Amino acid sequence: MAGTRRKQRLFSGMNYREVQRSNTNRRKKLHKADQAWLKDNGYKNIGWDNVIQLYQKINDILTSPKPDDPTLEDLFLKADQIGQKYQTPDEIKAFEQTLQVEVDAISEQIDNQFPDQDVEMIDYSAASRPRAKRNAAKSRKG
């Protein structure tokens, strides 16, 4: 029957050949060690299910942070160190004061939007003995 045609399967809006092409191009962008790992662990670019698994694994590898890459915190600290070399002590002090005003304003906004509803009661009237002394006294009595 010439009129019957199979419905084309799609993955992320791509047909089989497009996913294969995408896998090939993105795999080339990986480090050699990652490429070898994919090969050693049986990720293939042949067969519909294998192509999809390879696509997803390449996504995982590309989105995962590398252990030798600096974190965002490290980058900010490094930028701060570099910036302080070119600032006078007065400029640093003025920036820190401005920053403290901003932090206080943000803290006040948070306190206004999320008030602490829990009331904590502390009873200072009863003199409490340290736990070690109480445990020793209990063991002598018992």
PDB file of all heavy atoms in Angstrom, residues 71-88 91-93 95-96 99:
ATOM      1  N   THR A  71      34.263  28.002  41.410  1.00  0.00           N
ATOM      2  CA  THR A  71      32.858  28.258  41.708  1.00  0.00           C
ATOM      3  C   THR A  71      32.592  29.750  41.586  1.00  0.00           C
ATOM      4  O   THR A  71      33.524  30.565  41.503  1.00  0.00           O
ATOM      5  CB  THR A  71      32.502  27.797  43.130  1.00  0.00           C
ATOM      6  OG1 THR A  71      33.276  28.558  44.065  1.00  0.00           O
ATOM      7  CG2 THR A  71      32.773  26.310  43.305  1.00  0.00           C
ATOM      8  N   LEU A  72      31.341  30.112  41.587  1.00  0.00           N
ATOM      9  CA  LEU A  72      30.969  31.520  41.498  1.00  0.00           C
ATOM     10  C   LEU A  72      31.519  32.286  42.703  1.00  0.00           C
ATOM     11  O   LEU A  72      31.988  33.418  42.567  1.00  0.00           O
ATOM     12  CB  LEU A  72      29.446  31.645  41.424  1.00  0.00           C
ATOM     13  CG  LEU A  72      28.888  33.023  41.151  1.00  0.00           C
ATOM     14  CD1 LEU A  72      29.405  33.562  39.822  1.00  0.00           C
ATOM     15  CD2 LEU A  72      27.373  32.984  41.130  1.00  0.00           C
ATOM     16  N   GLU A  73      31.498  31.652  43.868  1.00  0.00           N
ATOM     17  CA  GLU A  73      32.036  32.290  45.072  1.00  0.00           C
ATOM     18  C   GLU A  73      33.530  32.565  44.914  1.00  0.00           C
ATOM     19  O   GLU A  73      34.010  33.651  45.258  1.00  0.00           O
ATOM     20  CB  GLU A  73      31.790  31.402  46.287  1.00  0.00           C
ATOM     21  CG  GLU A  73      32.279  32.015  47.582  1.00  0.00           C
ATOM     22  CD  GLU A  73      32.035  31.109  48.777  1.00  0.00           C
ATOM     23  OE1 GLU A  73      31.561  29.979  48.601  1.00  0.00           O
ATOM     24  OE2 GLU A  73      32.339  31.554  49.893  1.00  0.00           O
ATOM     25  N   ASP A  74      34.270  31.596  44.364  1.00  0.00           N
ATOM     26  CA  ASP A  74      35.705  31.790  44.146  1.00  0.00           C
ATOM     27  C   ASP A  74      35.959  32.961  43.202  1.00  0.00           C
ATOM     28  O   ASP A  74      36.881  33.762  43.410  1.00  0.00           O
ATOM     29  CB  ASP A  74      36.340  30.525  43.562  1.00  0.00           C
ATOM     30  CG  ASP A  74      36.321  29.359  44.529  1.00  0.00           C
ATOM     31  OD1 ASP A  74      36.238  29.604  45.757  1.00  0.00           O
ATOM     32  OD2 ASP A  74      36.382  28.207  44.059  1.00  0.00           O
ATOM     33  N   LEU A  75      35.147  33.049  42.153  1.00  0.00           N
ATOM     34  CA  LEU A  75      35.315  34.146  41.198  1.00  0.00           C
ATOM     35  C   LEU A  75      35.044  35.504  41.844  1.00  0.00           C
ATOM     36  O   LEU A  75      35.764  36.473  41.591  1.00  0.00           O
ATOM     37  CB  LEU A  75      34.395  33.935  39.997  1.00  0.00           C
ATOM     38  CG  LEU A  75      34.732  32.743  39.104  1.00  0.00           C
ATOM     39  CD1 LEU A  75      33.658  32.555  38.045  1.00  0.00           C
ATOM     40  CD2 LEU A  75      36.095  32.914  38.453  1.00  0.00           C
ATOM     41  N   PHE A  76      34.001  35.582  42.684  1.00  0.00           N
ATOM     42  CA  PHE A  76      33.710  36.840  43.369  1.00  0.00           C
ATOM     43  C   PHE A  76      34.825  37.229  44.330  1.00  0.00           C
ATOM     44  O   PHE A  76      35.206  38.396  44.426  1.00  0.00           O
ATOM     45  CB  PHE A  76      32.370  36.758  44.105  1.00  0.00           C
ATOM     46  CG  PHE A  76      31.185  37.035  43.239  1.00  0.00           C
ATOM     47  CD1 PHE A  76      30.210  36.079  43.064  1.00  0.00           C
ATOM     48  CD2 PHE A  76      31.031  38.252  42.603  1.00  0.00           C
ATOM     49  CE1 PHE A  76      29.106  36.323  42.269  1.00  0.00           C
ATOM     50  CE2 PHE A  76      29.938  38.515  41.802  1.00  0.00           C
ATOM     51  CZ  PHE A  76      28.971  37.550  41.635  1.00  0.00           C
ATOM     52  N   LEU A  77      35.353  36.230  45.060  1.00  0.00           N
ATOM     53  CA  LEU A  77      36.445  36.528  45.990  1.00  0.00           C
ATOM     54  C   LEU A  77      37.682  37.018  45.245  1.00  0.00           C
ATOM     55  O   LEU A  77      38.358  37.955  45.678  1.00  0.00           O
ATOM     56  CB  LEU A  77      36.779  35.302  46.838  1.00  0.00           C
ATOM     57  CG  LEU A  77      35.714  34.899  47.856  1.00  0.00           C
ATOM     58  CD1 LEU A  77      36.090  33.574  48.509  1.00  0.00           C
ATOM     59  CD2 LEU A  77      35.546  35.979  48.903  1.00  0.00           C
ATOM     60  N   LYS A  78      37.990  36.398  44.118  1.00  0.00           N
ATOM     61  CA  LYS A  78      39.138  36.802  43.315  1.00  0.00           C
ATOM     62  C   LYS A  78      38.930  38.209  42.766  1.00  0.00           C
ATOM     63  O   LYS A  78      39.856  39.036  42.792  1.00  0.00           O
ATOM     64  CB  LYS A  78      39.346  35.806  42.170  1.00  0.00           C
ATOM     65  CG  LYS A  78      40.581  36.036  41.378  1.00  0.00           C
ATOM     66  CD  LYS A  78      41.793  35.697  42.197  1.00  0.00           C
ATOM     67  CE  LYS A  78      43.039  35.737  41.335  1.00  0.00           C
ATOM     68  NZ  LYS A  78      44.244  35.602  42.121  1.00  0.00           N
ATOM     69  N   ALA A  79      37.731  38.507  42.299  1.00  0.00           N
ATOM     70  CA  ALA A  79      37.427  39.843  41.789  1.00  0.00           C
ATOM     71  C   ALA A  79      37.550  40.884  42.897  1.00  0.00           C
ATOM     72  O   ALA A  79      38.044  41.994  42.674  1.00  0.00           O
ATOM     73  CB  ALA A  79      36.034  39.873  41.180  1.00  0.00           C
ATOM     74  N   ASP A  80      37.118  40.517  44.097  1.00  0.00           N
ATOM     75  CA  ASP A  80      37.226  41.428  45.235  1.00  0.00           C
ATOM     76  C   ASP A  80      38.683  41.710  45.568  1.00  0.00           C
ATOM     77  O   ASP A  80      39.067  42.847  45.835  1.00  0.00           O
ATOM     78  CB  ASP A  80      36.501  40.836  46.444  1.00  0.00           C
ATOM     79  CG  ASP A  80      36.385  41.820  47.589  1.00  0.00           C
ATOM     80  OD1 ASP A  80      36.095  43.007  47.321  1.00  0.00           O
ATOM     81  OD2 ASP A  80      36.590  41.399  48.743  1.00  0.00           O
ATOM     82  N   GLN A  81      39.512  40.669  45.534  1.00  0.00           N
ATOM     83  CA  GLN A  81      40.939  40.857  45.804  1.00  0.00           C
ATOM     84  C   GLN A  81      41.577  41.763  44.764  1.00  0.00           C
ATOM     85  O   GLN A  81      42.380  42.640  45.094  1.00  0.00           O
ATOM     86  CB  GLN A  81      41.662  39.512  45.822  1.00  0.00           C
ATOM     87  CG  GLN A  81      41.320  38.640  46.989  1.00  0.00           C
ATOM     88  CD  GLN A  81      41.933  37.245  46.864  1.00  0.00           C
ATOM     89  OE1 GLN A  81      42.468  36.882  45.834  1.00  0.00           O
ATOM     90  NE2 GLN A  81      41.826  36.466  47.929  1.00  0.00           N
ATOM     91  N   ILE A  82      41.229  41.554  43.512  1.00  0.00           N
ATOM     92  CA  ILE A  82      41.794  42.382  42.446  1.00  0.00           C
ATOM     93  C   ILE A  82      41.315  43.814  42.589  1.00  0.00           C
ATOM     94  O   ILE A  82      42.098  44.762  42.460  1.00  0.00           O
ATOM     95  CB  ILE A  82      41.415  41.806  41.065  1.00  0.00           C
ATOM     96  CG1 ILE A  82      42.119  40.470  40.858  1.00  0.00           C
ATOM     97  CG2 ILE A  82      41.782  42.773  39.948  1.00  0.00           C
ATOM     98  CD1 ILE A  82      41.645  39.699  39.646  1.00  0.00           C
ATOM     99  N   GLY A  83      40.019  43.991  42.873  1.00  0.00           N
ATOM    100  CA  GLY A  83      39.458  45.328  42.997  1.00  0.00           C
ATOM    101  C   GLY A  83      40.046  46.120  44.153  1.00  0.00           C
ATOM    102  O   GLY A  83      40.231  47.334  44.059  1.00  0.00           O
ATOM    103  N   GLN A  84      40.366  45.440  45.252  1.00  0.00           N
ATOM    104  CA  GLN A  84      40.903  46.145  46.416  1.00  0.00           C
ATOM    105  C   GLN A  84      42.303  46.688  46.156  1.00  0.00           C
ATOM    106  O   GLN A  84      42.722  47.642  46.808  1.00  0.00           O
ATOM    107  CB  GLN A  84      40.893  45.236  47.635  1.00  0.00           C
ATOM    108  CG  GLN A  84      39.505  45.053  48.204  1.00  0.00           C
ATOM    109  CD  GLN A  84      39.510  44.304  49.525  1.00  0.00           C
ATOM    110  OE1 GLN A  84      40.547  43.846  49.977  1.00  0.00           O
ATOM    111  NE2 GLN A  84      38.353  44.177  50.136  1.00  0.00           N
ATOM    112  N   LYS A  85      43.019  46.122  45.219  1.00  0.00           N
ATOM    113  CA  LYS A  85      44.356  46.626  44.906  1.00  0.00           C
ATOM    114  C   LYS A  85      44.291  48.032  44.323  1.00  0.00           C
ATOM    115  O   LYS A  85      45.234  48.810  44.459  1.00  0.00           O
ATOM    116  CB  LYS A  85      45.053  45.712  43.896  1.00  0.00           C
ATOM    117  CG  LYS A  85      45.448  44.374  44.441  1.00  0.00           C
ATOM    118  CD  LYS A  85      46.142  43.562  43.367  1.00  0.00           C
ATOM    119  CE  LYS A  85      46.477  42.174  43.860  1.00  0.00           C
ATOM    120  NZ  LYS A  85      47.087  41.359  42.800  1.00  0.00           N
ATOM    121  N   TYR A  86      43.186  48.349  43.657  1.00  0.00           N
ATOM    122  CA  TYR A  86      43.064  49.619  42.951  1.00  0.00           C
ATOM    123  C   TYR A  86      42.174  50.618  43.663  1.00  0.00           C
ATOM    124  O   TYR A  86      41.836  51.652  43.093  1.00  0.00           O
ATOM    125  CB  TYR A  86      42.533  49.364  41.533  1.00  0.00           C
ATOM    126  CG  TYR A  86      43.432  48.449  40.751  1.00  0.00           C
ATOM    127  CD1 TYR A  86      43.107  47.122  40.553  1.00  0.00           C
ATOM    128  CD2 TYR A  86      44.638  48.912  40.237  1.00  0.00           C
ATOM    129  CE1 TYR A  86      43.942  46.273  39.849  1.00  0.00           C
ATOM    130  CE2 TYR A  86      45.488  48.072  39.537  1.00  0.00           C
ATOM    131  CZ  TYR A  86      45.126  46.756  39.346  1.00  0.00           C
ATOM    132  OH  TYR A  86      45.963  45.924  38.652  1.00  0.00           O
ATOM    133  N   GLN A  87      41.801  50.328  44.908  1.00  0.00           N
ATOM    134  CA  GLN A  87      40.966  51.240  45.675  1.00  0.00           C
ATOM    135  C   GLN A  87      41.728  51.765  46.871  1.00  0.00           C
ATOM    136  O   GLN A  87      42.532  51.055  47.485  1.00  0.00           O
ATOM    137  CB  GLN A  87      39.698  50.539  46.163  1.00  0.00           C
ATOM    138  CG  GLN A  87      38.741  50.173  45.055  1.00  0.00           C
ATOM    139  CD  GLN A  87      37.520  49.451  45.595  1.00  0.00           C
ATOM    140  OE1 GLN A  87      37.582  48.781  46.604  1.00  0.00           O
ATOM    141  NE2 GLN A  87      36.402  49.605  44.899  1.00  0.00           N
ATOM    142  N   THR A  88      41.431  53.015  47.217  1.00  0.00           N
ATOM    143  CA  THR A  88      42.031  53.591  48.415  1.00  0.00           C
ATOM    144  C   THR A  88      41.250  53.093  49.625  1.00  0.00           C
ATOM    145  O   THR A  88      40.100  52.658  49.501  1.00  0.00           O
ATOM    146  CB  THR A  88      41.969  55.130  48.358  1.00  0.00           C
ATOM    147  OG1 THR A  88      40.598  55.539  48.382  1.00  0.00           O
ATOM    148  CG2 THR A  88      42.662  55.670  47.115  1.00  0.00           C
ATOM    149  N   GLU A  91      37.845  54.682  49.850  1.00  0.00           N
ATOM    150  CA  GLU A  91      36.852  54.140  48.915  1.00  0.00           C
ATOM    151  C   GLU A  91      36.314  52.805  49.410  1.00  0.00           C
ATOM    152  O   GLU A  91      35.115  52.540  49.301  1.00  0.00           O
ATOM    153  CB  GLU A  91      37.481  53.963  47.525  1.00  0.00           C
ATOM    154  CG  GLU A  91      37.789  55.270  46.815  1.00  0.00           C
ATOM    155  CD  GLU A  91      38.552  55.052  45.527  1.00  0.00           C
ATOM    156  OE1 GLU A  91      39.303  54.057  45.415  1.00  0.00           O
ATOM    157  OE2 GLU A  91      38.394  55.887  44.622  1.00  0.00           O
ATOM    158  N   ILE A  92      37.183  51.991  49.962  1.00  0.00           N
ATOM    159  CA  ILE A  92      36.755  50.699  50.497  1.00  0.00           C
ATOM    160  C   ILE A  92      35.792  50.900  51.657  1.00  0.00           C
ATOM    161  O   ILE A  92      34.747  50.255  51.744  1.00  0.00           O
ATOM    162  CB  ILE A  92      37.974  49.851  50.923  1.00  0.00           C
ATOM    163  CG1 ILE A  92      38.805  49.470  49.700  1.00  0.00           C
ATOM    164  CG2 ILE A  92      37.535  48.605  51.677  1.00  0.00           C
ATOM    165  CD1 ILE A  92      40.138  48.828  50.037  1.00  0.00           C
ATOM    166  N   LYS A  93      36.134  51.842  52.562  1.00  0.00           N
ATOM    167  CA  LYS A  93      35.287  52.117  53.725  1.00  0.00           C
ATOM    168  C   LYS A  93      33.922  52.662  53.280  1.00  0.00           C
ATOM    169  O   LYS A  93      32.878  52.241  53.803  1.00  0.00           O
ATOM    170  CB  LYS A  93      35.975  53.113  54.654  1.00  0.00           C
ATOM    171  CG  LYS A  93      35.247  53.343  55.944  1.00  0.00           C
ATOM    172  CD  LYS A  93      36.022  54.249  56.854  1.00  0.00           C
ATOM    173  CE  LYS A  93      35.258  54.469  58.149  1.00  0.00           C
ATOM    174  NZ  LYS A  93      35.982  55.355  59.061  1.00  0.00           N
ATOM    175  N   PHE A  95      32.416  52.111  50.417  1.00  0.00           N
ATOM    176  CA  PHE A  95      31.668  51.006  49.812  1.00  0.00           C
ATOM    177  C   PHE A  95      31.085  50.101  50.882  1.00  0.00           C
ATOM    178  O   PHE A  95      29.919  49.693  50.798  1.00  0.00           O
ATOM    179  CB  PHE A  95      32.572  50.205  48.880  1.00  0.00           C
ATOM    180  CG  PHE A  95      31.918  48.948  48.384  1.00  0.00           C
ATOM    181  CD1 PHE A  95      30.946  48.997  47.403  1.00  0.00           C
ATOM    182  CD2 PHE A  95      32.256  47.721  48.931  1.00  0.00           C
ATOM    183  CE1 PHE A  95      30.323  47.836  46.960  1.00  0.00           C
ATOM    184  CE2 PHE A  95      31.647  46.565  48.494  1.00  0.00           C
ATOM    185  CZ  PHE A  95      30.682  46.614  47.505  1.00  0.00           C
ATOM    186  N   GLU A  96      31.875  49.772  51.899  1.00  0.00           N
ATOM    187  CA  GLU A  96      31.391  48.889  52.958  1.00  0.00           C
ATOM    188  C   GLU A  96      30.236  49.516  53.724  1.00  0.00           C
ATOM    189  O   GLU A  96      29.293  48.825  54.114  1.00  0.00           O
ATOM    190  CB  GLU A  96      32.537  48.516  53.897  1.00  0.00           C
ATOM    191  CG  GLU A  96      33.526  47.551  53.255  1.00  0.00           C
ATOM    192  CD  GLU A  96      34.732  47.255  54.130  1.00  0.00           C
ATOM    193  OE1 GLU A  96      34.876  47.892  55.204  1.00  0.00           O
ATOM    194  OE2 GLU A  96      35.529  46.398  53.727  1.00  0.00           O
ATOM    195  N   LEU A  99      27.224  49.305  51.455  1.00  0.00           N
ATOM    196  CA  LEU A  99      26.781  47.919  51.427  1.00  0.00           C
ATOM    197  C   LEU A  99      26.010  47.575  52.703  1.00  0.00           C
ATOM    198  O   LEU A  99      24.972  46.919  52.650  1.00  0.00           O
ATOM    199  CB  LEU A  99      27.975  46.982  51.259  1.00  0.00           C
ATOM    200  CG  LEU A  99      27.662  45.490  51.242  1.00  0.00           C
ATOM    201  CD1 LEU A  99      26.812  45.136  50.038  1.00  0.00           C
ATOM    202  CD2 LEU A  99      28.939  44.669  51.244  1.00  0.00           C
TER     203      LEU A  99
END
